[in-house]
Amino acid sequence: MAEHTSSSITIEAAPADVMAVIADFARYPDWTGEVKEAEVLATDGQGRAEQVRLVMDAGAIKDDQTLGYTWTGDHEVSWTLVKSQMLRSLDGSYILKPAGAGATEVTYRLTVDVKIPMLGMIKRKAEKVRTTPHGRPRAGLVDVVDVSG
């Protein structure tokens, strides 16, 4: 059964700076604990990732997945599962909105469905991993944007 989650956070950085960090897949292994490898497989005409391979390791949850990305302007990106060993489906998005002088509200939405039945504790860990964008981005995204911005 698919699990749904949504959360928002305000980051003290401009939307363009936040989106630059979200779009920088090569740096995901540096700031997320669970993404061990990230490889952009295809890009669009603007050089933004259209398909990305992620190797995940979150302890009991290990996966090699490919996600397809759709960019809507400069303030929204969504993704959907192309292939995975562990997941049946995965759909998510980041929506960025200006939140005052130099701040951005980031809303994260995710729906995930695993292929194999999981014990409650392991499933909650999988949900926790996926409910923070690509690992620990709510905290990690803040840290990287503050450093990069």
Side-chain angles (χ1 to χ4, degrees), residues 24-136:
D24 189 359
F25 294 98
R27 290 195 56 207
Y28 276 39
D30 297 338
W31 62 271
T32 67
E34 290 78 17
V35 176
K36 301 306 178 189
E37 294 178 43
E39 176 187 8
V40 174
L41 302 175
T43 58
D44 66 13
Q46 296 179 352
R48 299 176 298 192
E50 282 187 323
Q51 202 166 88
V52 179
R53 177 179 167 259
L54 300 171
V55 176
M56 310 287 291
D57 184 348
I61 308 298
K62 294 177 178 31
D63 198 15
D64 187 334
Q65 55 192 230
T66 301
L67 303 177
Y69 285 81
T70 302
W71 304 84
T72 305
D74 295 329
H75 296 295
E76 183 175 347
V77 60
S78 59
W79 59 92
T80 190
L81 185 66
V82 174
K83 70 178 181 177
S84 168
Q85 298 168 347
M86 295 284 294
L87 303 178
R88 183 175 290 118
S89 66
L90 174 70
D91 296 292
S93 66
Y94 289 114
I95 300 170
L96 281 52
K97 294 181 183 174
T104 304
E105 178 186 27
V106 180
T107 299
Y108 173 75
R109 296 190 177 113
L110 187 78
T111 301
V112 62
D113 190 13
V114 294
K115 286 182 180 178
I116 58 173
M118 302 176 99
L119 297 173
M121 184 177 74
I122 295 173
K123 187 171 182 177
R124 282 189 298 277
K125 179 162 178 70
E127 291 163 8
K128 183 177 180 184
V129 167
R130 298 312 306 186
T131 58
T132 59
H134 307 301
R136 284 179 265 142

